[in-house]
Amino acid sequence: RTSSVWSAAASASRVAFIGRGPLGVSVHDATREALAAALHTDEVRRLDGAFEVRVDGAQAGVGGTNSWDLRARPTDEYRLLEKRYAYGFVLCPAASLREAGALSRGVEYGAE
């Protein structure tokens, strides 16, 4: 998901990821390396009882007009053109998705 204000991982122990701004959050049952190494989905080496969570402040890559060419690139509005980026998030325990949403409205951040 992209542009999420909060996201929650629903498992035996739930965790809410609450962003200072919009976040990109992805959860996979395989590592990035395992996904890159596999040519087909049935070749992906899955994690046993674990997940890899990635939380990003920004994501580039959508909005391309030429996906069939090696020189394809997103249009400027979808590119990350700044030299530096910063983002922040808080991890909070949450008993339910409803609680995660309520927590996201009550998080206070210290001075930066």
Side-chain angles (χ1 to χ4, degrees), residues 38-46:
L39 296 175
H40 303 92
T41 56
D42 63 330
E43 297 171 350
V44 175
R45 229 172 126 199
R46 308 288 178 187

Side-chain angles (χ1 to χ4, degrees), residues 4-106:
S4 298
V5 177
W6 65 270
S7 184
S11 64
S13 43
R14 292 189 168 116
V15 177
F17 300 81
I18 303 168
R20 289 180 37 206
L23 298 172
V25 179
S26 63
V27 179
H28 298 277
D29 63 348
T31 65
R32 181 178 299 194
E33 294 79 16
L35 292 170
L39 296 175
H40 303 92
T41 56
D42 63 330
E43 297 171 350
V44 175
R45 229 172 126 199
R46 308 288 178 187
L47 296 169
D48 187 24
F51 294 93
E52 184 171 288
V53 178
R54 295 186 200 112
V55 180
D56 300 304
Q59 180 179 5
V62 298
T65 57
N66 179 353
S67 63
W68 55 88
D69 191 317
L70 290 175
R71 296 180 308 269
R73 66 195 295 166
T75 55
D76 283 352
E77 73 177 296
Y78 296 107
R79 293 178 60 207
L80 300 175
L81 301 172
E82 298 295 321
K83 298 278 187 215
R84 295 181 63 153
Y85 291 89
Y87 68 100
F89 62 93
V90 175
L91 294 175
C92 296
S96 66
L97 294 176
R98 178 172 287 176
E99 183 181 6
L103 286 169
S104 72
R105 293 184 288 278

